[in-house]
Amino acid sequence: MMLKPVIVAGMVAMVVMTATACGETPRGDGQSAAPAATATPVAADATRSSGEGKTRYPLVFDNCGKQYTFAKAPSRVVVMNGGSVAEVSSLLELGLGDRITVNAQSYGASDVPGRAEAIKVLPTGGIKLSEMQDIPRETMLSLRPDFVISTYDGGFAAKSGYATREDLGKIGANTYAPASACGESGMVTGSPTVDSSYQMLRDFGQIFDVPGRAEQIIAASEQRIKDVTAKVAGKPAKNVMIVFPGMGADDFSSIAAAGIWNDVLGKAGAVNPFAADAKGAPFVTVGKDELAAASIDALIVVNYMNPDPEGSAKKILAQFPQWEATKSNRFLILSDSIYFGPSNDVAVDKIARLVHPDAF
Protein backbone atom coordinates (compact mmCIF):
# COMPACT_ATOMS: atom_id res chain seq x y z
CA MET A 1 0.00 0.00 0.00
CA MET A 2 1.44 3.32 -1.06
CA LEU A 3 1.08 6.01 1.56
CA LYS A 4 2.09 9.58 0.90
CA PRO A 5 3.07 11.58 3.99
CA VAL A 6 1.20 14.86 4.18
CA ILE A 7 1.63 18.02 6.20
CA VAL A 8 -1.75 19.69 6.51
CA ALA A 9 -1.53 23.46 6.89
CA GLY A 10 -4.54 23.85 9.13
CA MET A 11 -3.38 21.29 11.61
CA VAL A 12 0.22 21.83 11.21
CA ALA A 13 -1.20 24.46 12.99
CA MET A 14 -2.97 21.80 14.92
CA VAL A 15 -2.37 19.02 17.31
CA VAL A 16 -1.81 16.62 19.27
CA MET A 17 0.81 16.52 21.37
CA THR A 18 -0.89 16.57 19.98
CA ALA A 19 2.86 17.92 17.70
CA THR A 20 6.16 19.29 16.74
CA ALA A 21 9.65 19.49 17.92
CA CYS A 22 11.66 22.43 19.08
CA GLY A 23 11.51 23.81 15.56
CA GLU A 24 9.33 26.10 13.56
CA THR A 25 6.45 23.80 12.64
CA PRO A 26 3.30 23.90 14.81
CA ARG A 27 2.51 20.73 16.65
CA GLY A 28 0.68 17.70 15.34
CA ASP A 29 0.35 14.56 17.40
CA GLY A 30 3.25 12.94 15.62
CA GLN A 31 5.70 14.79 17.82
CA SER A 32 8.98 13.12 18.54
CA ALA A 33 9.88 11.66 21.85
CA ALA A 34 12.42 13.68 23.79
CA PRO A 35 13.88 13.50 27.26
CA ALA A 36 11.15 14.21 29.76
CA ALA A 37 11.14 17.57 31.46
CA THR A 38 12.10 17.21 35.07
CA ALA A 39 11.08 19.23 38.07
CA THR A 40 13.79 19.34 40.70
CA PRO A 41 12.94 21.08 43.96
CA VAL A 42 15.94 22.91 45.41
CA ALA A 43 15.24 21.57 48.86
CA ALA A 44 15.99 17.86 49.14
CA ASP A 45 13.12 17.33 51.56
CA ALA A 46 10.38 18.62 49.23
CA THR A 47 7.29 16.60 50.10
CA ARG A 48 4.04 15.36 48.67
CA SER A 49 1.19 14.93 51.07
CA SER A 50 -2.09 13.14 50.43
CA GLY A 51 -4.55 15.28 48.52
CA GLU A 52 -3.01 18.39 47.07
CA GLY A 53 0.63 17.51 47.62
CA LYS A 54 3.33 20.09 48.27
CA THR A 55 6.04 21.72 46.20
CA ARG A 56 8.93 23.45 47.95
CA TYR A 57 9.83 26.79 46.37
CA PRO A 58 12.06 28.02 44.88
CA LEU A 59 11.54 25.24 42.33
CA VAL A 60 14.23 24.62 39.73
CA PHE A 61 12.69 23.14 36.60
CA ASP A 62 14.36 21.91 33.40
CA ASN A 63 12.40 22.29 30.17
CA CYS A 64 13.66 21.67 26.64
CA GLY A 65 17.26 21.91 27.78
CA LYS A 66 16.80 25.18 29.68
CA GLN A 67 16.55 25.72 33.41
CA TYR A 68 13.97 27.90 35.13
CA THR A 69 13.41 28.92 38.72
CA PHE A 70 9.91 29.41 40.11
CA ALA A 71 9.77 31.50 43.27
CA LYS A 72 6.09 30.62 43.62
CA ALA A 73 3.26 29.06 41.63
CA PRO A 74 2.45 31.09 38.48
CA SER A 75 -0.62 33.32 38.63
CA ARG A 76 -0.58 35.13 35.25
CA VAL A 77 -0.53 32.30 32.74
CA VAL A 78 -0.78 32.70 28.97
CA VAL A 79 -1.58 29.59 26.94
CA MET A 80 -0.57 29.77 23.29
CA ASN A 81 -2.67 28.22 20.52
CA GLY A 82 -0.66 25.77 18.39
CA GLY A 83 -3.91 24.10 17.35
CA SER A 84 -3.98 22.22 20.67
CA VAL A 85 -6.23 22.00 23.70
CA ALA A 86 -3.96 19.63 25.63
CA GLU A 87 -2.31 22.34 27.68
CA VAL A 88 -5.40 24.31 28.67
CA SER A 89 -7.32 21.07 29.31
CA SER A 90 -4.58 19.86 31.62
CA LEU A 91 -4.70 23.10 33.58
CA LEU A 92 -8.48 22.84 33.91
CA GLU A 93 -8.25 19.19 34.95
CA LEU A 94 -5.88 20.28 37.72
CA GLY A 95 -8.28 23.01 38.85
CA LEU A 96 -6.02 25.85 37.69
CA GLY A 97 -8.37 27.78 35.43
CA ASP A 98 -8.18 30.82 37.69
CA ARG A 99 -4.45 31.14 36.96
CA ILE A 100 -5.07 31.70 33.23
CA THR A 101 -4.87 35.34 32.14
CA VAL A 102 -5.15 34.65 28.41
CA ASN A 103 -6.02 31.42 26.63
CA ALA A 104 -5.70 31.03 22.86
CA GLN A 105 -6.65 27.33 22.68
CA SER A 106 -10.03 25.99 21.58
CA TYR A 107 -11.40 23.05 19.54
CA GLY A 108 -15.05 23.93 20.08
CA ALA A 109 -15.74 20.34 21.14
CA SER A 110 -14.62 17.87 23.80
CA ASP A 111 -15.16 14.24 24.75
CA VAL A 112 -15.30 15.33 28.39
CA PRO A 113 -18.66 16.81 29.44
CA GLY A 114 -18.40 20.51 30.27
CA ARG A 115 -14.81 20.98 29.13
CA ALA A 116 -15.52 22.79 25.86
CA GLU A 117 -17.79 25.16 27.77
CA ALA A 118 -15.15 25.68 30.46
CA ILE A 119 -12.57 26.55 27.82
CA LYS A 120 -14.97 28.90 26.07
CA VAL A 121 -15.41 31.11 29.13
CA LEU A 122 -11.69 31.49 29.85
CA PRO A 123 -10.29 34.98 29.21
CA THR A 124 -8.88 35.52 25.72
CA GLY A 125 -7.68 39.07 26.21
CA GLY A 126 -9.37 40.15 22.99
CA ILE A 127 -6.07 39.63 21.20
CA LYS A 128 -5.63 39.40 17.45
CA LEU A 129 -3.75 36.27 16.45
CA SER A 130 -0.95 36.41 13.90
CA GLU A 131 -0.94 34.84 10.44
CA MET A 132 0.41 31.74 12.19
CA GLN A 133 -2.77 31.78 14.29
CA ASP A 134 -0.94 32.42 17.51
CA ILE A 135 0.05 35.26 19.83
CA PRO A 136 2.58 37.63 18.21
CA ARG A 137 5.64 38.88 20.05
CA GLU A 138 4.63 42.41 21.00
CA THR A 139 1.16 41.34 22.07
CA MET A 140 2.62 38.60 24.22
CA LEU A 141 5.05 40.94 25.96
CA SER A 142 2.27 43.46 26.60
CA LEU A 143 0.30 40.82 28.52
CA ARG A 144 3.02 40.77 31.24
CA PRO A 145 2.65 37.04 31.97
CA ASP A 146 4.65 35.20 34.61
CA PHE A 147 4.34 31.87 32.77
CA VAL A 148 3.86 31.15 29.06
CA ILE A 149 2.87 27.70 27.81
CA SER A 150 3.43 26.76 24.18
CA THR A 151 2.41 23.53 22.50
CA TYR A 152 5.90 23.09 21.08
CA ASP A 153 9.27 24.78 21.36
CA GLY A 154 8.81 26.53 18.02
CA GLY A 155 6.18 28.65 19.76
CA PHE A 156 9.11 30.66 21.09
CA ALA A 157 10.80 31.13 17.69
CA ALA A 158 11.70 34.69 16.72
CA LYS A 159 11.60 33.91 12.99
CA SER A 160 7.90 33.01 13.33
CA GLY A 161 7.16 36.33 15.02
CA TYR A 162 6.87 34.96 18.55
CA ALA A 163 8.41 36.19 21.78
CA THR A 164 11.44 34.07 22.54
CA ARG A 165 12.14 32.39 25.83
CA GLU A 166 14.83 35.01 26.37
CA ASP A 167 12.39 37.87 25.61
CA LEU A 168 9.96 36.49 28.15
CA GLY A 169 12.65 35.86 30.73
CA LYS A 170 13.54 39.54 30.64
CA ILE A 171 10.03 40.47 31.82
CA GLY A 172 10.03 37.80 34.51
CA ALA A 173 8.11 35.08 32.69
CA ASN A 174 9.10 31.43 32.76
CA THR A 175 8.27 29.31 29.71
CA TYR A 176 7.22 25.75 28.97
CA ALA A 177 6.68 23.34 26.10
CA PRO A 178 5.76 19.66 26.57
CA ALA A 179 8.73 17.33 26.89
CA SER A 180 7.48 15.38 23.88
CA ALA A 181 7.72 18.53 21.72
CA CYS A 182 11.35 19.47 22.38
CA GLY A 183 12.99 17.88 19.38
CA GLU A 184 15.03 19.14 16.45
CA SER A 185 13.87 21.85 14.06
CA GLY A 186 11.34 20.93 11.39
CA MET A 187 8.48 18.49 11.15
CA VAL A 188 8.41 16.06 14.01
CA THR A 189 8.77 12.32 13.62
CA GLY A 190 8.07 9.53 16.03
CA SER A 191 5.16 8.78 18.28
CA PRO A 192 4.37 10.05 21.75
CA THR A 193 2.43 7.82 24.11
CA VAL A 194 -0.19 8.18 26.79
CA ASP A 195 2.69 8.48 29.25
CA SER A 196 3.62 11.73 27.45
CA SER A 197 0.23 13.11 28.49
CA TYR A 198 0.86 12.03 32.07
CA GLN A 199 4.26 13.74 32.05
CA MET A 200 2.72 17.12 31.32
CA LEU A 201 0.22 16.67 34.16
CA ARG A 202 3.11 15.88 36.49
CA ASP A 203 5.05 18.90 35.25
CA PHE A 204 2.13 21.24 35.90
CA GLY A 205 1.49 19.55 39.23
CA GLN A 206 4.99 20.47 40.37
CA ILE A 207 5.04 23.96 38.89
CA PHE A 208 1.65 24.94 40.33
CA ASP A 209 2.07 23.19 43.69
CA VAL A 210 -0.60 20.52 43.11
CA PRO A 211 1.50 17.37 42.62
CA GLY A 212 -0.88 15.28 44.69
CA ARG A 213 -3.81 16.27 42.51
CA ALA A 214 -1.83 15.42 39.38
CA GLU A 215 -1.00 11.97 40.72
CA GLN A 216 -4.64 11.33 41.61
CA ILE A 217 -5.75 12.20 38.05
CA ILE A 218 -3.03 10.02 36.54
CA ALA A 219 -3.82 7.10 38.83
CA ALA A 220 -7.52 7.23 37.93
CA SER A 221 -6.69 7.33 34.22
CA GLU A 222 -4.21 4.47 34.51
CA GLN A 223 -6.76 2.35 36.37
CA ARG A 224 -9.47 2.98 33.80
CA ILE A 225 -7.12 2.02 30.96
CA LYS A 226 -5.93 -1.04 32.88
CA ASP A 227 -9.53 -2.19 33.34
CA VAL A 228 -10.25 -1.75 29.62
CA THR A 229 -7.10 -3.53 28.42
CA ALA A 230 -7.87 -6.44 30.73
CA LYS A 231 -11.30 -6.84 29.12
CA VAL A 232 -9.97 -6.87 25.56
CA ALA A 233 -6.87 -8.96 26.30
CA GLY A 234 -6.50 -11.90 23.93
CA LYS A 235 -8.99 -10.57 21.41
CA PRO A 236 -7.81 -10.02 17.82
CA ALA A 237 -6.78 -6.43 17.20
CA LYS A 238 -9.21 -4.60 14.95
CA ASN A 239 -8.11 -2.31 12.10
CA VAL A 240 -9.27 1.20 12.87
CA MET A 241 -8.87 4.13 10.47
CA ILE A 242 -8.68 7.59 12.02
CA VAL A 243 -9.45 10.46 9.67
CA PHE A 244 -9.71 14.24 9.95
CA PRO A 245 -12.27 15.26 7.32
CA GLY A 246 -11.98 18.74 5.89
CA MET A 247 -8.39 19.33 6.97
CA GLY A 248 -6.91 18.61 3.56
CA ALA A 249 -7.90 18.70 -0.08
CA ASP A 250 -10.27 15.76 0.43
CA ASP A 251 -11.41 13.36 3.12
CA PHE A 252 -8.43 11.05 2.57
CA SER A 253 -5.57 13.56 2.62
CA SER A 254 -5.48 13.63 6.41
CA ILE A 255 -5.51 10.08 7.70
CA ALA A 256 -3.79 9.52 11.04
CA ALA A 257 -0.41 7.80 10.80
CA ALA A 258 2.29 8.30 13.46
CA GLY A 259 1.01 9.77 16.72
CA ILE A 260 -0.29 9.23 20.20
CA TRP A 261 -3.45 7.72 18.72
CA ASN A 262 -1.50 4.53 17.98
CA ASP A 263 -0.80 3.98 21.67
CA VAL A 264 -4.45 4.75 22.43
CA LEU A 265 -5.60 2.24 19.80
CA GLY A 266 -3.26 -0.43 21.11
CA LYS A 267 -4.61 -0.11 24.63
CA ALA A 268 -8.15 -0.46 23.25
CA GLY A 269 -7.46 -3.69 21.35
CA ALA A 270 -7.10 -2.01 17.97
CA VAL A 271 -4.40 -1.12 15.47
CA ASN A 272 -3.84 1.64 12.92
CA PRO A 273 -3.41 -0.01 9.48
CA PHE A 274 -1.76 3.14 8.10
CA ALA A 275 0.95 3.57 10.71
CA ALA A 276 3.69 1.28 9.40
CA ASP A 277 4.70 3.15 6.23
CA ALA A 278 4.13 6.69 7.48
CA LYS A 279 7.85 7.52 7.82
CA GLY A 280 7.08 9.32 11.06
CA ALA A 281 4.55 11.72 9.55
CA PRO A 282 1.48 12.35 11.70
CA PHE A 283 -0.79 12.20 8.63
CA VAL A 284 -0.80 10.44 5.27
CA THR A 285 -2.79 10.65 2.07
CA VAL A 286 -4.19 7.32 0.94
CA GLY A 287 -5.64 6.79 -2.54
CA LYS A 288 -9.19 5.50 -2.95
CA ASP A 289 -7.98 2.31 -4.65
CA GLU A 290 -5.73 1.54 -1.69
CA LEU A 291 -8.54 2.31 0.72
CA ALA A 292 -10.93 0.07 -1.20
CA ALA A 293 -8.49 -2.82 -0.80
CA ALA A 294 -7.86 -2.13 2.88
CA SER A 295 -9.44 -4.08 5.70
CA ILE A 296 -11.18 -1.51 7.90
CA ASP A 297 -13.10 -2.82 10.88
CA ALA A 298 -14.06 0.56 12.33
CA LEU A 299 -13.81 4.25 11.49
CA ILE A 300 -13.00 7.14 13.79
CA VAL A 301 -13.77 10.64 12.58
CA VAL A 302 -12.01 13.33 14.57
CA ASN A 303 -14.17 16.35 15.21
CA TYR A 304 -12.02 19.42 14.80
CA MET A 305 -14.22 22.41 13.99
CA ASN A 306 -16.44 20.09 11.93
CA PRO A 307 -20.08 21.22 11.70
CA ASP A 308 -21.29 17.68 10.89
CA PRO A 309 -18.79 14.99 11.94
CA GLU A 310 -21.41 12.22 11.86
CA GLY A 311 -22.32 13.23 8.31
CA SER A 312 -18.63 13.05 7.40
CA ALA A 313 -18.39 9.53 8.82
CA LYS A 314 -21.44 8.30 6.92
CA LYS A 315 -20.15 9.86 3.69
CA ILE A 316 -16.85 8.02 4.01
CA LEU A 317 -18.45 4.68 4.85
CA ALA A 318 -20.84 4.95 1.91
CA GLN A 319 -17.89 4.98 -0.48
CA PHE A 320 -16.57 1.62 0.78
CA PRO A 321 -19.48 -0.84 1.21
CA GLN A 322 -16.99 -3.74 1.33
CA TRP A 323 -15.50 -2.58 4.65
CA GLU A 324 -16.55 -4.43 7.75
CA ALA A 325 -16.91 -0.97 9.31
CA THR A 326 -19.59 -0.13 6.74
CA LYS A 327 -21.39 -3.46 7.01
CA SER A 328 -21.57 -3.07 10.78
CA ASN A 329 -22.06 0.71 10.71
CA ARG A 330 -19.17 0.84 13.15
CA PHE A 331 -17.89 4.38 13.58
CA LEU A 332 -17.11 6.81 16.36
CA ILE A 333 -16.77 10.57 16.66
CA LEU A 334 -13.94 11.73 18.92
CA SER A 335 -12.37 15.12 19.53
CA ASP A 336 -9.76 15.90 22.20
CA SER A 337 -9.36 12.51 23.92
CA ILE A 338 -7.58 10.96 20.92
CA TYR A 339 -4.89 13.64 21.13
CA PHE A 340 -2.10 14.36 23.56
CA GLY A 341 -3.84 15.62 26.70
CA PRO A 342 -5.32 14.60 30.04
CA SER A 343 -8.19 12.40 28.79
CA ASN A 344 -6.70 9.58 26.72
CA ASP A 345 -8.48 7.09 28.99
CA VAL A 346 -11.79 8.35 27.58
CA ALA A 347 -10.70 7.48 24.04
CA VAL A 348 -9.35 4.08 25.09
CA ASP A 349 -12.68 3.19 26.69
CA LYS A 350 -14.81 4.43 23.80
CA ILE A 351 -12.71 2.72 21.12
CA ALA A 352 -12.62 -0.57 23.00
CA ARG A 353 -16.41 -0.55 23.33
CA LEU A 354 -16.68 0.20 19.60
CA VAL A 355 -14.47 -2.63 18.35
CA HIS A 356 -15.00 -5.23 21.11
CA PRO A 357 -18.59 -4.64 22.29
CA ASP A 358 -18.88 -8.22 23.51
CA ALA A 359 -16.21 -7.51 26.15
CA PHE A 360 -18.41 -5.01 27.98
Side-chain angles (χ1 to χ4, degrees):
M1 181 176 293
M2 295 297 292
L3 303 181
K4 183 173 75 173
V6 61
I7 298 176
V8 183
M11 189 167 171
V12 182
M14 173 184 181
V15 265
V16 156
M17 81 180 215
T18 89
T20 54
C22 298
E24 310 307 323
T25 308
R27 196 181 78 206
D29 266 299
Q31 75 266 44
S32 61
T38 58
T40 308
V42 172
D45 63 342
T47 60
R48 289 180 181 175
S49 63
S50 60
E52 289 302 294
K54 183 68 176 175
T55 296
R56 180 67 59 84
Y57 296 102
L59 173 73
V60 178
F61 190 91
D62 295 326
N63 181 239
C64 293
K66 296 178 173 62
Q67 193 172 84
Y68 301 91
T69 299
F70 292 82
K72 61 180 180 179
S75 61
R76 290 185 54 80
V77 180
V78 174
V79 184
M80 297 184 71
N81 181 13
S84 175
V85 287
E87 292 73 22
V88 71
S89 296
S90 295
L91 293 175
L92 289 174
E93 193 75 9
L94 289 164
L96 300 169
D98 62 341
R99 310 295 182 89
I100 299 172
T101 301
V102 171
N103 170 57
Q105 295 187 352
S106 175
Y107 279 175
S110 176
D111 299 320
V112 177
R115 179 177 291 159
E117 293 76 15
I119 291 174
K120 187 176 181 179
V121 300
L122 289 172
T124 63
I127 61 176
K128 181 179 179 180
L129 299 181
S130 67
E131 291 181 358
M132 296 287 287
Q133 293 303 298
D134 223 320
I135 304 173
R137 178 181 184 276
E138 294 306 321
T139 301
M140 176 65 78
L141 296 176
S142 72
L143 296 173
R144 308 301 296 181
D146 62 2
F147 189 43
V148 177
I149 300 170
S150 175
T151 68
Y152 70 117
D153 205 49
F156 302 114
K159 65 168 63 176
S160 297
Y162 302 137
T164 66
R165 290 183 185 260
E166 291 72 22
D167 289 336
L168 291 161
K170 289 176 182 177
I171 63 169
N174 285 327
T175 47
Y176 176 91
S180 52
C182 292
E184 304 265 330
S185 296
M187 191 63 191
V188 175
T189 59
S191 293
T193 66
V194 173
D195 283 340
S196 304
S197 297
Y198 295 154
Q199 181 63 55
M200 185 162 68
L201 283 167
R202 287 192 171 101
D203 289 347
F204 289 164
Q206 284 292 303
I207 290 168
F208 288 93
D209 193 19
V210 288
R213 195 181 309 174
E215 293 303 325
Q216 289 172 355
I217 293 167
I218 292 166
S221 174
E222 289 177 328
Q223 186 60 54
R224 186 179 188 186
I225 290 175
K226 182 180 178 180
D227 291 345
V228 170
T229 55
K231 289 179 179 178
V232 302
K235 294 185 176 295
K238 300 294 186 178
N239 284 337
V240 177
M241 183 173 92
I242 304 174
V243 65
F244 300 73
M247 269 184 22
D250 58 52
D251 288 339
F252 310 120
S253 63
S254 51
I255 292 174
I260 193 171
W261 32 69
N262 294 336
D263 189 30
V264 170
L265 288 174
K267 288 175 167 54
V271 65
N272 180 355
F274 305 111
D277 299 323
K279 297 180 180 178
F283 310 105
V284 292
T285 295
V286 183
K288 289 193 70 174
D289 289 344
E290 288 86 355
L291 284 172
S295 175
I296 304 298
D297 298 308
L299 173 70
I300 294 176
V301 165
V302 180
N303 178 15
Y304 175 71
M305 305 297 184
N306 189 333
D308 185 16
E310 185 168 334
S312 295
K314 291 179 178 179
K315 176 185 173 184
I316 292 170
L317 291 175
Q319 296 177 65
F320 303 100
Q322 69 274 31
W323 284 355
E324 184 59 38
T326 306
K327 295 175 184 177
S328 304
N329 195 34
R330 189 169 290 135
F331 71 91
L332 179 64
I333 309 300
L334 291 176
S335 53
D336 53 346
S337 66
I338 196 72
Y339 297 127
F340 173 69
S343 305
N344 298 143
D345 58 306
V346 175
V348 170
D349 182 73
K350 287 178 177 288
I351 294 168
R353 290 174 186 274
L354 175 73
V355 298
H356 297 295
D358 57 323
F360 294 88

